[in-house]
Amino acid sequence: MAITLTEAAASRVKDFLDNRGKGVGLRLAVKTTGCSGMAYVIEFADAVEEDDVVFEDRGIKVVINPKSLVYLDGTELDYDREGLNEGFKFNNPNVKDMCGCGESFNV
């Protein structure tokens, strides 16, 4: 089981954490929503809960709850800038289908 970050994603997360001035890393999760069933949740992790699973890649801690890990295992988090749009991109090998707008997925 592993979650990885590209150099671009790790650099962006580090910048966010430095500017914020606190936090132990990045928390990733999934929630039930959207046309295809699930959507990604990304937020700062200020603490690690007892049942959390923690991965570290490129100096960044990625914190995930066990329920979400089933859907995120093997995911690579990237950060991309395309024209005026920029943001995190999940390269998740578990995704079987995505909705047309790309906001939700199913496994």
Side-chain angles (χ1 to χ4, degrees):
M1 294 187 151
I3 305 297
T4 58
L5 289 88
T6 64
E7 187 61 43
S11 175
R12 193 65 175 150
V13 171
K14 184 179 181 327
D15 288 346
F16 279 136
L17 288 170
D18 289 347
N19 288 337
R20 189 169 181 253
K22 66 177 183 174
V24 297
L26 194 66
R27 180 175 295 278
L28 301 181
V30 295
K31 66 178 178 177
T32 304
T33 188
C35 357
S36 289
M38 288 182 266
Y40 298 109
V41 177
I42 186 168
E43 56 193 19
F44 295 110
D46 289 329
V48 176
E49 303 299 325
E50 186 176 315
D51 62 340
D52 285 337
V53 179
V54 179
F55 297 95
E56 188 162 344
D57 190 31
R58 301 179 194 265
I60 302 295
K61 285 186 172 132
V62 180
V63 181
I64 302 175
N65 67 56
K67 290 180 183 176
S68 293
L69 184 56
V70 173
Y71 304 106
L72 295 173
D73 184 34
T75 297
E76 176 190 63
L77 185 63
D78 192 11
Y79 187 81
D80 190 32
R81 182 174 286 159
E82 192 174 311
L84 296 176
N85 298 318
E86 61 182 299
F88 289 101
K89 179 180 170 186
F90 290 81
N91 299 316
N92 185 342
N94 304 303
V95 171
K96 302 292 185 232
D97 194 25
M98 292 184 76
C99 68
C101 64
E103 294 296 317
S104 64
F105 66 96
N106 66 41
V107 292

